[in-house]
Amino acid sequence: STAVHSDVSPMTLTRYMIEESNQNLDKEHLVDLQGIMSGIQVACKKISSLVSRAGITNLTGLEEGGGSVNIQGEEQKKLDVLSNEVLKNSLRFSGKMGVIASEEEDEPVVVDEVASGNYVCVFDPLDGSSNIDAAVATGTIFGIFAEDDEQPCLINDDEGDLDAQKAACLIQTMQPGKNLVAAGYCMYSSSCMLVLTTGHGVNGFTLDPQIGEFVLTHPNMQIPSRGKIYSFNEANYPDWDPTLQKFVDSLKDGSNKSGAKYSSRYIGSLVADVHRTLLYGGIFGYPGDAKNTNGKLRLLYECAPMSMLLEEAGGLATTGRERVLDVMPTAVHQRLPLILGSKEDVQELVDLYQAE
Ligand code: AHG
Ligand code: MN
Ligand code: MN
Ligand code: MN
């Protein structure tokens, strides 16, 4: 954007969204996205505050002392549940939402506020929550779909059978990642950063605690075409397919195409591992393996939004066999193998799979 960021006129996320829509009237949805992003950024500021003070306010640890398990079969942390409520409500009151699907909600939630719209938000309210009690980086991941006009998600109370109507909405929520109109994450780490794409490049905003605003610090983020870092949970190496094992071995001993010996970095929070990969380059993966053929990460609210960001930043995101953004979801919480990062790194692995 032509405007510049300065102390007397900070390029806040709010201002950026206004300018982007004013400068690109052809970009459908940008005016609506202003309202949606206004809600999301307030929720992220609130979650950032909750996370950073968790130890003080007794918000670490498990929900209900360990009794609450989500549909993924994971024991929910208190902050999983709380951040889900914070984000769900800010989306509901944005007046733009039709349906929201969350890692922490068994079924998509139909937003039937008086002022509701026809967007669908998919989100992981607290990613990397196994790290939260150790104050290691965590994040929020979100994706925005525009509801398919031909099949609006209208819940009609007097038609009864709300479950059948909700099931229809559930199908509504299912769109391939290439249909996303916006995707992003907020990372709660040494600094709080919100990274966003509306389909025309990737921009990074850092929360300035002095003014309580996200300000533009990383305009037009582009991932290096090759990196020197690989990021996998190598505890699963014995269960990986031989092609992946050989590829990662080649990163370690320098026999890969770049000739470089890579370093390993694995934080165990997807948001933090993706953010580092986006900035430094390299390759991240949570592949399918002998124990979990579809890996661990969820397509709708982890793989698809991250894949949109990586492609918009000039990188690649694949299951190993196909482009993540082409995958048509069949269930809200379905898992998908995810390999993403620098174009040359990911392409080298894809070529090995294709040569199998
Ligand atoms: P979540 O905390 O939202 O359930 O996501 C956790 C995911 C992701 O953040 C991370 O990449 C992955 O779990 C780490 O899994 P492992 O601990 O099995 O490596
Ligand atoms: Mn979880
Ligand atoms: Mn997650
Ligand atoms: Mn989560």
Side-chain angles (χ1 to χ4, degrees):
S1 85
T2 52
V4 289
H5 173 56
S6 75
D7 261 359
V8 291
S9 65
M11 179 53 85
T12 61
L13 174 57
T14 304
R15 177 180 156 201
Y16 178 84
M17 293 300 293
I18 293 167
E19 294 198 1
E20 205 196 15
S21 59
N22 290 342
Q23 284 168 3
N24 303 278
L25 296 177
D26 61 314
K27 278 190 213 166
E28 202 191 355
H29 307 309
L30 277 175
V31 173
D32 289 326
L33 284 172
Q34 281 178 47
I36 295 169
M37 283 315 301
S38 164
I40 288 178
Q41 67 167 310
V42 169
C44 289
K45 290 179 201 175
K46 177 65 184 166
I47 295 169
S48 175
S49 163
L50 288 169
V51 160
S52 59
R53 302 181 69 250
I56 301 162
T57 55
N58 184 32
L59 281 178
T60 56
L62 295 175
E63 176 71 2
E64 291 166 17
S68 140
V69 177
N70 64 15
I71 193 165
Q72 330 279 344
E74 301 166 344
E75 281 189 307
Q76 289 178 308
K77 300 279 190 174
K78 288 179 193 161
L79 282 170
D80 275 323
V81 175
L82 199 50
S83 52
N84 184 60
E85 287 306 311
V86 167
L87 189 46
K88 182 166 62 171
N89 290 331
S90 76
L91 286 163
R92 280 172 51 203
F93 305 131
S94 75
K96 303 285 182 188
M97 282 301 135
V99 184
I100 55 180
S102 162
E103 177 198 353
E104 307 302 345
E105 299 280 346
D106 294 3
E107 300 291 338
V109 174
V110 176
V111 175
D112 46 11
E113 303 307 312
V114 171
S116 63
N118 59 3
Y119 288 89
V120 177
C121 183
V122 296
F123 64 84
D124 175 355
L126 192 64
D127 172 69
S129 57
S130 61
N131 279 324
I132 196 72
D133 294 356
V136 172
T138 52
T140 296
I141 308 169
F142 58 89
I144 309 288
F145 291 100
E147 221 167 40
D148 182 341
D149 295 340
E150 279 75 60
Q151 309 168 53
C153 246
L154 302 177
I155 297 297
N156 197 324
D157 289 344
D158 55 26
E159 266 180 29
D161 196 357
L162 294 188
D163 290 348
Q165 293 186 54
K166 276 194 179 178
C169 272
L170 192 145
I171 303 300
Q172 263 298 310
T173 313
M174 306 299 162
Q175 298 183 48
K178 62 189 165 193
N179 289 12
L180 282 164
V181 295
Y185 58 78
C186 190
M187 181 178 70
Y188 312 116
S189 183
S190 49
S191 77
C192 178
M193 274 203 70
L194 193 146
V195 175
L196 172 71
T197 181
T198 57
H200 304 272
V202 178
N203 289 287
F205 300 82
T206 302
L207 181 61
D208 179 349
Q210 287 184 356
I211 58 173
E213 291 288 353
F214 286 101
V215 296
L216 182 65
T217 50
H218 296 64
N220 189 27
M221 296 172 81
Q222 290 291 302
I223 185 170
S225 57
R226 183 109 213 183
K228 290 200 175 104
I229 297 170
Y230 71 89
S231 182
F232 292 79
N233 181 341
E234 288 195 78
N236 300 326
Y237 180 98
D239 298 318
W240 292 350
D241 63 73
T243 300
L244 179 62
Q245 289 177 332
K246 283 196 210 89
F247 174 66
V248 173
D249 292 345
S250 79
L251 301 181
K252 293 183 182 186
D253 63 23
S255 59
N256 64 79
K257 277 189 177 159
S258 78
K261 287 188 181 190
Y262 280 46
S263 178
S264 166
R265 288 286 183 275
Y266 190 74
I267 301 164
S269 290
L270 178 65
V271 169
D273 282 318
V274 167
H275 188 69
R276 185 215 45 255
T277 304
L278 195 50
L279 286 168
Y280 295 175
I283 185 166
F284 166 88
Y286 208 110
D289 62 28
K291 277 198 202 126
N292 304 299
T293 46
N294 287 321
K296 173 181 180 182
L297 301 175
R298 282 60 52 120
L299 166 57
L300 214 49
Y301 41 79
E302 288 174 314
C303 302
M306 290 311 201
S307 299
M308 180 183 187
L309 284 165
L310 260 292
E311 289 200 3
E312 285 292 327
L316 290 178
T318 171
T319 64
R321 317 278 172 188
E322 66 180 305
R323 180 182 179 235
V324 169
L325 292 182
D326 288 338
V327 176
M328 185 64 195
T330 51
V332 180
H333 301 290
Q334 81 182 72
R335 297 171 194 268
L336 192 80
L338 177 65
I339 314 275
L340 58 75
S342 296
K343 186 167 278 187
E344 291 170 27
D345 294 76
V346 175
Q347 193 57 52
E348 186 169 343
L349 176 57
V350 168
D351 292 345
L352 290 171
Y353 276 128
Q354 282 170 356
E356 271 180 337

